[in-house]
């Protein structure tokens, strides 16, 4: 079964989405610690500590149950937390 115009299979997409979302959890935790220590910005706790683990759980579950929609939602939650937190920190600092 091909996915995205025949360039790889559904299993390859689900596996990469799972790995990317799980890999973003430590990055977000380090960014959260930096924001709290340097800037005193405690909203990063909500963005960087809640959204990426939820996204990683959803992509892991989407990979296990072979549900690409659930995996995409989890990947968007995990990846979207970084630009959202950086953008909000810039807006608050300005």
């Amino acid at each position: 079964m091909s996915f995205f115009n025949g360039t790889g299979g559904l299993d390859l997409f689900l596996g990469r989405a799972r790995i990317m979302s799980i890999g973003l959890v430590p990055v977000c935790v380090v960014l959260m610690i930096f924001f709290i220590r340097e800037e005193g910005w405690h909203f990063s706790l909500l963005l960087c500590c809640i959204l990426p683990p939820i996204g990683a759980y959803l992509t892991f579950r989407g990979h296990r149950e072979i549900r690409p929609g659930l995996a995409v939602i989890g990947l968007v939650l995990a990846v979207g937390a970084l630009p959202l937190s950086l953008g909000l920190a810039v807006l608050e600092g300005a």
Side-chain angles (χ1 to χ4, degrees), residues 1-10 12:
M1 173 182 202
S2 63
F3 196 64
F4 288 134
N5 296 327
T7 58
L10 179 62
L12 180 66

Side-chain angles (χ1 to χ4, degrees), residues 29-80:
V29 168
V30 168
L31 188 66
M32 176 195 65
I33 292 170
F34 172 75
F35 278 147
I36 290 174
R37 182 173 289 164
E38 294 294 322
E39 305 292 328
W41 190 57
H42 295 289
F43 290 114
S44 67
L45 180 68
L46 296 173
L47 290 174
C48 294
C49 194
I50 304 265
L51 288 181
I54 290 173
Y57 170 74
L58 290 176
T59 56
F60 184 77
R61 190 169 170 199
H63 182 264
R64 186 178 53 183
E65 296 176 5
I66 308 173
R67 296 176 62 191
L70 190 62
V72 168
I73 290 171
L75 185 61
V76 166
L77 280 176
V79 171

Side-chain angles (χ1 to χ4, degrees), residues 74-91:
L75 185 61
V76 166
L77 280 176
V79 171
L82 285 176
L84 183 63
S85 63
L86 290 173
L88 289 175
V90 167
L91 286 176

